[in-house]
Amino acid sequence: GFVLNTRDDTDRVALAEQLQDQAFHDPLTGLPNRALLGDRAEQAFTRAQRTAGAVALMALNIDAFKLINDGVGHGGGDLVLCEVAERLLVSVRPEDTVARLAGDEFVVLMDPAPEPEEALALAERVLDVLRHDFCIEGVAHRITASIGIAIGAMPHTNFDQLLSDADVALYCVKRAGKDAVQLFEASMNVNARERFRLQTELRKAIDGEGLKLHYQAECD
């Protein structure tokens, strides 16, 4: 007859669990990644439809993170990201989901969605906690962040659209001086999205050496 190797079975189960964990979590901070955030957001949208509620997202970027990386090195930058993750976890509500999408891009799924005033107050609390000095290799560094918030429900929006709206609100904060929070409003759409698109395309063009400088002599 067949002989079952329970150790091999246990190893396979452990490997499967490890691979699943890697597929849904950020390897640096251990936070949920975009895939897991999107899954939880879809569940939140489904619940919101049943209860005539809404879904709320908070998008957060660390201000001038490139300068931080340049100043303390990528290892120090990783320490900052991990500390930001921990501070976010203790600042938001227990039922909220804190995720890291990439780089210094963090997103909080506020579920159940609070009223706009409560969402703004929660974001202000996050900003306040992040303003406390970060100690890297014995040196204190002051960190600030910018936050955009978007609140909506189906059929008017979905996860990708809501995340885009939160990014637009965050971009408005960056332009206005950083270290603040902004709630997305429909009036931001046209101008902010166009500026956001142009900035993204210019950054890609610069990174890809897609810009050329031409000299035009003045005419007499």
Side-chain angles (χ1 to χ4, degrees):
F2 293 101
V3 177
L4 297 177
N5 190 326
T6 56
R7 181 176 178 180
D8 287 348
D9 290 341
T10 302
D11 289 344
R12 278 195 292 270
V13 170
L15 178 60
E17 291 176 348
Q18 182 182 358
L19 291 174
Q20 185 176 29
D21 185 72
Q22 291 175 352
F24 290 105
H25 290 84
D26 169 49
L28 177 64
T29 63
L31 294 177
N33 60 14
R34 185 188 178 103
L36 183 53
L37 177 69
D39 183 67
R40 292 185 180 177
E42 292 303 324
Q43 295 176 32
F45 272 112
T46 301
R47 287 192 297 271
Q49 276 189 302
R50 292 198 300 263
T51 60
V55 177
L57 288 180
M58 177 194 305
L60 180 149
N61 272 182
I62 302 171
D63 295 330
F65 184 66
K66 185 179 185 302
L67 293 179
I68 297 171
N69 256 340
D70 291 343
V72 300
H74 288 284
D78 286 349
L79 291 176
V80 169
L81 292 173
C82 290
E83 180 66 19
V84 167
E86 291 182 13
R87 294 190 188 188
L88 281 172
L89 288 171
V90 300
S91 301
V92 301
R93 306 171 304 177
E95 60 269 30
D96 296 335
T97 296
V98 180
R100 178 181 176 231
L101 302 193
D104 63 320
E105 301 175 34
F106 293 86
V107 175
V108 179
L109 169 63
M110 294 177 279
D111 183 26
E115 293 297 320
E117 296 78 10
E118 296 175 54
L120 289 170
L122 178 61
E124 289 288 355
R125 186 165 78 231
V126 168
L127 291 180
D128 188 54
V129 170
L130 292 179
R131 290 185 187 113
H132 297 178
D133 285 349
F134 287 68
C135 188
I136 304 171
E137 297 181 352
V139 179
H141 296 267
R142 186 174 184 271
I143 306 296
T144 63
S146 299
I147 294 178
I149 295 175
I151 302 175
M154 295 178 69
H156 308 291
T157 190
N158 54 33
F159 170 62
D160 289 332
Q161 183 64 56
L162 204 62
L163 183 57
S164 176
D165 291 345
D167 281 337
V168 168
L170 185 152
Y171 176 69
C172 290
V173 175
K174 294 281 192 183
R175 291 188 66 252
K178 307 175 182 178
D179 192 21
V181 56
Q182 174 68 55
L183 183 66
F184 174 80
E185 299 174 2
S187 59
M188 297 176 183
N189 256 323
V190 177
N191 292 333
R193 286 188 187 281
E194 181 62 18
R195 287 193 298 266
F196 187 67
R197 183 187 65 80
L198 287 174
Q199 184 186 53
T200 301
E201 291 183 356
L202 280 172
R203 187 184 301 116
K204 289 180 179 178
I206 292 171
D207 291 342
E209 298 183 352
L211 294 179
K212 293 183 179 179
L213 180 63
H214 294 274
Y215 173 74
Q216 180 176 344
E218 294 184 4
C219 298
D220 294 331

